[in-house]
Amino acid sequence: MRTQFGPFTLDTGTRELLKDGQAVHLSPKGFDVLALLLERRPNVITKKDFDARIWPGVFVTDANLSVIVSEIRRALGDTPRDQRFIRTIDRVGYAFSGRAIDDASERPGPTLVPAATCRLSWAGGHALLGAGEYVIGRNPACSVWLDVDGVSRKHARVRIDGTHQAEVEDLGSTNGTFVRGLPIHGPTALRDGDVIQVGTAELTFRAWNDRPTERIRRG
């Protein structure tokens, strides 16, 4: 699988990290950690998950992972302050925070879905979403972590299917989930520009594709 982000391409088949076509050095463990971050993006990967995947059956300290993440950031020209590609979740783990696209030519199936990106934005942050499920909540391990008053530990879930249709549902939160100002009581379709309210936080859902004249419409 080849995954492109910024000027970089990560090729898990050849185990190469390229920048504008030129090889960038990474240690074997550094490559494995970056590959896992891209594979699980934008979800948060806990230190326990890293241990199970990168060092199975071996005891390592948290410092080992920190050193490898620092190596990856140097290779990508990223910093702990900028977090352009790797986001740190204190005392929990890390997540890939940049925009990345898998090479569509390697995906199976007779029909390719046009490249598209969905995004949730809120005061102080944003999350890029591809096909999958994303939990919004106050638990730091959630895909979208909101440390905001009134947000339950696991408050709501956003689903995006292979055709980039999106919906949100409440997960039995204390204060409920609202879309377009109305409380939802089951899976509710999302349209480009919809505002989702969880607790005191408001998140704006955006969806688009790479062709600016063909905005994704939500029914």
Side-chain angles (χ1 to χ4, degrees), residues 5 8 18-19 77 134 141 164 174 190 211 217:
F5 56 100
F8 298 97
L18 306 175
K19 180 180 181 181
Y134 306 88
H164 305 288
T174 301
L190 289 172
R211 291 167 294 183
R217 296 183 178 181

Side-chain angles (χ1 to χ4, degrees), residues 27-34 36-37 45-72 93-94:
S27 68
K29 292 299 185 186
F31 186 94
D32 291 339
V33 167
L34 179 56
L36 182 58
L37 286 165
I45 306 175
T46 67
K47 294 175 181 178
K48 183 178 179 181
D49 289 338
F50 276 115
D51 288 346
R53 179 73 171 265
I54 308 299
W55 295 279
V58 178
F59 173 77
V60 294
T61 66
D62 291 348
N64 291 68
L65 180 59
S66 297
V67 168
I68 289 177
V69 170
S70 295
E71 174 199 350
I72 297 170
Y94 300 93

Side-chain angles (χ1 to χ4, degrees), residues 109-188:
T111 303
L112 296 177
V113 177
T117 300
C118 298
R119 177 181 179 129
L120 283 176
S121 300
W122 62 94
H126 70 270
L128 294 174
L129 313 179
E133 296 188 355
Y134 306 88
V135 175
I136 302 169
R138 202 164 188 170
N139 186 332
C142 287
S143 308
V144 180
W145 179 30
L146 297 178
D147 190 13
V148 178
D149 290 342
V151 176
S152 298
R153 288 180 62 80
K154 292 185 177 181
H155 196 108
R157 179 190 293 114
V158 172
R159 288 192 184 95
I160 301 172
D161 67 18
T163 62
H164 305 288
Q165 298 298 309
E167 65 180 20
V168 61
E169 65 175 320
D170 186 74
L171 296 178
S173 66
T174 301
N175 296 314
T177 300
F178 297 76
V179 175
R180 300 185 290 275
L182 298 174
I184 63 173
H185 304 289
T188 301

